[in-house]
Amino acid sequence: MNNIIKSTLALGLVVTATVLATSPAEAEIRQKSNNLVVMEARDLPEQAQLPGNSLFLHSDNAGNTYLYVEQQQGARLSVFNVTDPARIKLVVSTPLATQGAFDFVRPLGYNAELVYFRDSQKEAVLDLRKAKRPVLQMIPAGSNFGPAESLGESGLLAMDQPYRYVPAIGRNYQVIDVADSAPTQLATVEDVRHQVTNNQTGTTFLLGPNGLTVVRRLTVENNYKEQQYQTQGN
């Protein structure tokens, strides 16, 4: 999980952001170069086209990586298998009986994620022991979970640290390939609110009201697949 980070700058890929203006975003130029591929929501499973509010990545013990996306102001949780960025699959899309939009705040040990509700200021835990079938469980009032460490398979040791929600500012992101002497703009992704990057495959996920956009770095992706193939061969 150390290979999953919330950043986007890497060799051959530059993602720049500007605060949303009143004028329309610059039109898309290209979607693919020798180094980068931009996959829009329409190129992904249908559920990826829904507006999203928060997301995070989680890897299980079987070598699979899943992207969890909170959608429809907390009414739905969608899980995508993103182990192979070229073949992203919807695993499950579950309606939630929640109290409005929420954010994925931080991991709690290795198999859980802390959830914070924006309006009610209540907290919950997303149980990831079954990564394909996550379970959202509310936390009793007044817990205020902070950083936590695992106590075996079923316990957590957590500090008392209140979470303060800071609204995300929508930004337009330009995806630019700088591998050649002349930088090439591939796409503009509008109104991005959240992003996360999987360093293992070099894949960046951008989320906003227009759904999910995926930026793939082919060199990193191919190197990772080759390493996996060699590992399995041994």
Side-chain angles (χ1 to χ4, degrees):
M1 293 184 63
N2 293 332
N3 292 311
I4 297 172
I5 61 171
K6 292 186 178 179
S7 64
T8 349
L9 182 60
L11 182 62
L13 164 64
V14 174
V15 179
T16 60
T18 56
V19 178
L20 282 178
T22 55
S23 58
E26 186 175 346
E28 170 189 307
I29 297 176
R30 294 173 60 189
Q31 289 292 313
K32 183 177 180 180
S33 69
N34 291 330
N35 304 291
L36 302 175
V37 173
V38 180
M39 299 170 65
E40 297 181 341
R42 63 188 179 187
D43 303 318
L44 302 170
E46 184 177 357
Q47 202 66 29
Q49 300 175 27
L50 292 178
N53 304 290
S54 188
L55 80 170
F56 77 101
L57 288 163
H58 171 73
S59 295
D60 65 11
N61 294 328
N64 298 306
T65 301
Y66 300 96
L67 179 71
Y68 298 80
V69 183
E70 182 256 320
Q71 299 172 320
Q72 297 178 331
Q73 297 299 311
R76 182 168 293 275
L77 176 66
S78 292
V79 183
F80 300 90
N81 188 326
V82 297
T83 308
D84 183 352
R87 295 175 176 82
I88 294 175
K89 302 176 182 178
L90 176 67
V91 175
V92 66
S93 186
T94 306
L96 299 175
T98 60
Q99 304 178 26
F102 58 82
D103 293 288
F104 300 113
V105 179
R106 64 177 67 90
L108 293 175
Y110 296 104
N111 293 305
E113 183 80 8
L114 178 63
V115 168
Y116 183 86
F117 289 87
R118 299 176 183 179
D119 295 332
S120 67
Q121 299 184 1
K122 294 183 179 180
E123 295 173 314
V125 170
L126 187 67
D127 187 337
L128 301 171
R129 283 175 291 183
K130 296 182 179 179
K132 295 181 180 181
R133 293 290 185 271
V135 178
L136 188 66
Q137 300 175 331
M138 298 301 298
I139 298 174
S143 297
N144 290 330
F145 273 166
E149 59 185 83
S150 296
L151 293 174
E153 293 294 327
S154 58
L156 291 171
L157 182 64
M159 282 193 294
D160 185 352
Q161 179 176 312
Y163 172 74
R164 295 181 179 180
Y165 168 63
V166 178
I169 299 175
R171 299 176 183 272
N172 291 340
Y173 277 62
Q174 287 79 42
V175 183
I176 303 171
D177 188 342
V178 296
D180 298 325
S181 57
T184 303
Q185 182 175 332
L186 301 181
T188 294
V189 187
E190 299 181 359
D191 203 4
V192 175
R193 305 296 177 90
H194 301 277
Q195 67 184 81
V196 65
T197 295
N198 184 351
N199 261 9
Q200 288 184 320
T201 58
T203 313
T204 295
F205 303 90
L206 305 172
L207 181 66
N210 296 322
L212 185 67
T213 299
V214 179
V215 183
R216 296 165 53 201
R217 294 165 54 201
L218 298 182
T219 301
V220 179
E221 185 178 312
N222 291 334
N223 288 341
Y224 176 72
K225 290 180 179 179
E226 180 64 25
Q227 292 173 1
Q228 292 298 104
Y229 178 78
Q230 292 177 354
T231 301
Q232 294 172 1
N234 295 330

